[in-house]
Structures are given as C-alpha cells and as structure tokens.
Amino acid sequence: MVGFGVRRSIRDGVVVLMAAGALLVGATVAFGQMELAVITGTVTDEAGAPLEGVSFRLIDLERGSETVFQSGKDGRFYRRGLKAIEYEFVVEKPGYQPIRNKLKLSAGVDKRFNFKLVKSAPPGAEEFTKGVAAFNAGDNQAAVAAFEQAVKKAPEAPEVHVNLALAYMRVSRPNDAIAELEKASAMAPSEPRFLFQLGGGYVDAKQYIKAIAAFETGLKLQPNLTDPLAFEATITLGAVYFASGQMDQSVARFTAALAAKPDSAAAKLGLGKCAASKGDIDEALQYFQQVIASAPGTSEAAEAEAFVKALRKT
C-alpha cells in the first residue's frame, strides 16, 4: 500500500501531497474563491497509457458516505463540490493494484494528481516464481511442491500445468507429467507448443501412437520450420516414425527438416539411419560422413561414427 505524507513549503505556503513509490507521481494545487474543494488529474498504466474507467472513491470518515467517480477515455478525472474534510481515498481498477490511503481536502483548493497504476500479480504468481527458481537451481522436489501450489491457485493457466509437468519429469513421474500436459493442451488446443511438449511426454513414455498424433496436430498449427520448436518437433517426429517402423514417413519428416535447415546434423543422421534400414548402404554412409565432417565432437557425430564402423564391418 502506498503511503501519503504532507510536506509544507515555508517559502510559498503551498501544501503538496506526496506519494511514496511510483504510483502517485506528482501533485499540484491551485487556489480559488470556492468554499468547497476540487480534485482533478490523470491516471495511467505503467507504460504511461491513459486508463479509462478507473474508480475513485472518497469515503467520508465521519459519516461513512461515499463519493464515486471515474476516469474518462483520456485517463482524466475531475470532481468538484467536495466537502473540505478528511477522506479515505481509494483508486482502483480490476487487474491493477489499488491505491488506498487518507486524504484531507481544504476549502478553495484544487488538488491535482497524476496516478500510475501497476498491474496486479495473477493468482499463483508467487508460487510459480518459487517453482521456476527451484527448477533452475536443480531442487526438483521443491519445484514440484511450488508448481503444485501454483496450479491450485491458478488451475485455468495452461503454462502452470506445463511447468508442473516438466518438474514431474525430473522426479520420474511420467504419468503425472503427461496428465498435466494433456490438461494444458485441452485448455489451449490451438497452441502448438503445448502439443509439442505433450508429444515429448508421450515419447518418454514410449506411447508412440499418441506422440505422433500430438506432433502432427501441432505441426498443422505451426508448419513453419523456421520456428525452433516446430523444427525440433519435426526431428523428434521423424525419430518416432523410425522407431515405429514407418520409414517413408520418417524420411519425409527428416527431409523437410533438412530443407529448412541444410546444416542440421540431426536431420542428416536420421536420413542416414533410414537409408541404412532400407539397405541403401552407400547413401547411408554419405549422410553419416557428412554428419562427422560438419558436426565434430557432437553426439550426432559420435553416433554417425558408430554406424559407419558397423556398416563397414558388414
């Protein structure tokens, strides 16, 4: 809560209402010949854009009555004819942190304010932040506990379910991970990245038919392989097709990946495996040797070298 304090300037005799923090950024006064007070000013968001429909409530602390008004499209507000008394002053808008404090108005004085409202943290945000910190620190059990609490507070947020699933994977709870990924995908069926995550979960559980369905659906939504997630999903899908014995589909996916990224060692390695599986040894050796030459020191190069040795012995 932002606190108000009063500072009196001896030099000019003006009383200025100050704000602690960034929400109330300024105040000026003007003197008139009125017996009642006026409050006016503007209200914006953190980026400085005007906020419409911000409610201002002035609560008479003695009588309990309220005076309520709102900001317009330009973020400006104005209210005249206010009693020169002390009020509880509340500035609020759904989705933003409210400002609440006491304000004393003086007769014949126009109070001018420039308010800045900060968006409220969504439910579960604190627990989610703790989960991310624990996950990055390698404290997987703490990450699971924090994300589980975040899910309880924000059950309709698919991102929270995805992060809980990743934490479950780290503590060897694949079925729980898949359940959370399925929930996230159901909440956001048009979001390909959730489907790619779900496909990966199915791969870990060796549920290849479901993995293929998830990846294929995700790639229909995001077919552009310049997208890193779509590219990785294509490589993984090619590997899943290979593992399930569907060579033509595997070749098609690895070929698409290589067309999108001609230097991809993973795509060349996959095509080499497919060629070897079909008995085209010369083609397989060409792909494997390209991997070894273009990606030395990588896991793909090591696997390609093992295939070359095996094929040459054969």
Side-chain angles (χ1 to χ4, degrees):
M1 182 174 70
V2 175
F4 292 91
V6 176
R7 182 185 67 192
R8 183 175 298 275
S9 172
I10 298 175
R11 181 179 60 187
D12 53 19
V14 177
V15 176
V16 182
L17 194 62
M18 303 298 291
L23 299 185
L24 181 57
V25 297
T28 62
V29 297
F31 291 92
Q33 300 301 318
M34 301 169 54
E35 294 183 358
L36 301 178
V38 172
I39 182 170
T40 184
T42 61
V43 58
T44 64
D45 63 14
E46 293 175 273
L51 286 176
E52 180 184 5
V54 176
S55 294
F56 298 85
R57 291 193 295 125
L58 292 172
I59 305 168
D60 187 330
L61 294 176
E62 293 183 1
R63 300 170 182 80
S65 60
E66 289 190 13
T67 299
V68 182
F69 52 97
Q70 291 188 333
S71 61
K73 291 183 179 180
D74 56 0
R76 296 182 180 277
F77 58 91
Y78 177 84
R79 184 71 180 212
R80 61 180 300 175
L82 296 170
K83 295 178 180 179
I85 59 175
E86 187 173 31
Y87 296 91
E88 181 180 2
F89 188 29
V90 182
V91 184
E92 56 191 356
K93 181 179 175 67
Y96 292 84
Q97 297 179 18
I99 299 174
R100 182 187 298 269
N101 221 296
K102 292 181 180 180
L103 172 64
K104 188 173 183 179
L105 297 181
S106 301
V109 177
D110 292 3
K111 296 289 187 179
R112 181 176 297 276
F113 300 99
N114 296 312
F115 291 104
K116 184 174 290 187
L117 294 186
V118 178
K119 284 190 175 181
S120 301
E126 181 179 353
E127 292 79 6
F128 184 85
T129 300
K130 289 181 180 179
V132 171
F135 187 90
N136 291 335
D139 191 347
N140 300 324
Q141 293 295 346
V144 167
F147 286 135
E148 286 177 338
Q149 290 300 313
V151 164
K152 289 180 180 179
K153 292 188 176 182
E156 301 304 319
E159 293 85 357
V160 182
H161 290 278
V162 170
N163 280 272
L164 176 56
L166 296 176
Y168 278 149
M169 288 178 185
R170 279 197 176 180
V171 296
S172 301
R173 293 171 60 178
N175 292 333
D176 291 330
I178 288 173
E180 294 300 322
L181 290 169
E182 288 174 340
K183 291 176 185 177
S185 296
M187 291 175 188
S190 62
E191 181 53 72
R193 59 192 175 98
F194 295 152
L195 288 163
F196 296 154
Q197 292 277 11
L198 178 59
Y202 285 139
V203 170
D204 290 342
K206 294 182 172 55
Q207 299 181 32
Y208 296 140
I209 294 177
K210 289 184 177 180
I212 288 172
F215 283 129
E216 289 286 9
T217 303
L219 286 168
K220 286 180 181 178
L221 294 170
Q222 175 52 282
N224 189 346
L225 299 191
T226 59
D227 178 82
L229 293 178
F231 180 84
E232 290 300 325
T234 300
I235 292 292
T236 305
L237 180 56
V240 173
Y241 275 132
F242 181 86
S244 57
Q246 301 180 64
M247 290 300 119
D248 290 341
Q249 292 90 332
S250 181
V251 169
R253 285 302 177 183
F254 285 130
T255 299
L258 190 61
K261 193 175 180 179
D263 61 345
S264 171
K268 293 176 183 177
L269 180 64
L271 287 170
K273 290 180 181 180
C274 290
S277 179
K278 290 181 176 182
D280 193 339
I281 305 304
D282 289 338
E283 183 179 353
L285 286 171
Q286 288 178 7
Y287 278 121
F288 292 143
Q289 288 166 349
Q290 288 177 27
V291 173
I292 295 168
S294 63
T298 64
S299 59
E300 289 86 357
E303 192 171 352
E305 289 173 353
F307 272 103
V308 169
K309 290 180 181 179
L311 290 175
R312 284 177 175 169
K313 285 182 180 180
T314 302

